[in-house]
Amino acid sequence: MTTYTDPFRLRVQKALAELLETITTDNGYQFDLAGKVFRGRNVFGDTDPKEMLAVLEDPEMKNILPVAEGNVVAYDYQLLVQGWTRDDKTHPTDRAQHLLAAAKRRLGLEIRRVEDGRVDFLGVYGVASMTLGIGVVRPADDLSASAYFWLPLTLRVAEDISDPYGEVAD
């Protein structure tokens, strides 16, 4: 069994952020998110990039009833990808719709890659599947000074709760 310096769920979040940072103009997207994907942050200010993403655990975590086999639990790990972008004054959410589409495209390519024969999503052993929600785009409001989106993401994972720093034993 391999041992890591980060616990399983943090490894998953880091891998997801790293994947989303490949949304760059060099990779054919209209955004450059290299270095602009954050983990665990939900408050941003004027000094942060105008276009960025955040990976957060879903605070509502619905249907998180694990299936246990000894110390290994399988469950739906629910995350949110949140994105912010500058507004178009005439159509404030248009650019956020494009940013949401870019995130969906990149995550969809990961789903296709795994379906084509690789067994672990995000390159993390123990992540069995990924499902994307539809996403919601909102204009600037009390929560944000610019347009933004939420994209729910569910990963089916298996975690050895007796060793959160290791891999699930075969």
Side-chain angles (χ1 to χ4, degrees), residues 15-29 31-37 53 102 105-107 109-110:
L16 180 58
E18 186 176 304
L19 179 75
L20 291 167
E21 284 195 1
T22 65
I23 297 172
T24 64
T25 53
D26 288 346
N27 289 330
Y29 295 88
F31 302 96
D32 189 351
L33 297 180
K36 299 175 186 171
V37 179
L53 299 178
R105 176 179 172 219
R106 184 62 195 98
L107 294 166
L109 289 172
E110 175 69 2

Side-chain angles (χ1 to χ4, degrees):
M1 180 182 303
T2 304
T3 301
Y4 299 93
T5 57
D6 290 326
F8 175 74
R9 287 172 31 169
L10 180 55
R11 289 196 315 269
V12 170
Q13 289 181 30
K14 284 182 172 183
L16 180 58
E18 186 176 304
L19 179 75
L20 291 167
E21 284 195 1
T22 65
I23 297 172
T24 64
T25 53
D26 288 346
N27 289 330
Y29 295 88
Q30 69 183 77
F31 302 96
D32 189 351
L33 297 180
K36 299 175 186 171
V37 179
F38 304 93
R39 294 182 314 278
R41 282 184 65 189
N42 66 350
V43 176
F44 295 90
D46 293 338
T47 60
D48 288 303
K50 296 300 178 210
E51 291 168 336
M52 62 189 161
L53 299 178
V55 174
L56 301 163
E57 290 185 337
D58 186 338
E60 297 184 15
M61 290 281 261
K62 297 176 183 124
N63 303 320
I64 190 161
L65 299 173
V67 176
E69 289 186 29
N71 287 326
V72 176
V73 294
Y75 59 94
D76 290 335
Y77 185 33
Q78 298 169 342
L79 298 167
L80 293 172
V81 175
Q82 191 170 9
W84 294 266
T85 188
R86 65 183 185 277
D87 288 346
D88 171 313
K89 296 303 176 197
T90 306
H91 305 286
T93 61
D94 284 8
R95 194 152 175 85
Q97 289 285 1
H98 283 277
L99 186 59
L100 171 60
K104 284 182 173 181
R105 176 179 172 219
R106 184 62 195 98
L107 294 166
L109 289 172
E110 175 69 2
I111 292 169
R112 182 180 301 152
R113 181 189 69 80
V114 173
E115 288 174 348
D116 287 345
R118 190 166 168 156
V119 296
D120 54 339
F121 281 82
L122 305 170
V124 178
Y125 188 80
V127 181
S129 67
M130 180 183 341
T131 306
L132 299 180
I134 296 168
V136 175
V137 172
R138 301 292 304 152
D141 57 17
D142 293 344
L143 300 175
S144 175
S146 64
Y148 61 100
F149 74 82
W150 290 297
L151 176 62
L153 169 70
T154 302
L155 301 171
R156 186 67 181 170
V157 301
E159 179 180 3
D160 183 345
I161 59 173
S162 69
D163 185 10
Y165 291 94
E167 291 180 347
V168 175
D170 290 328

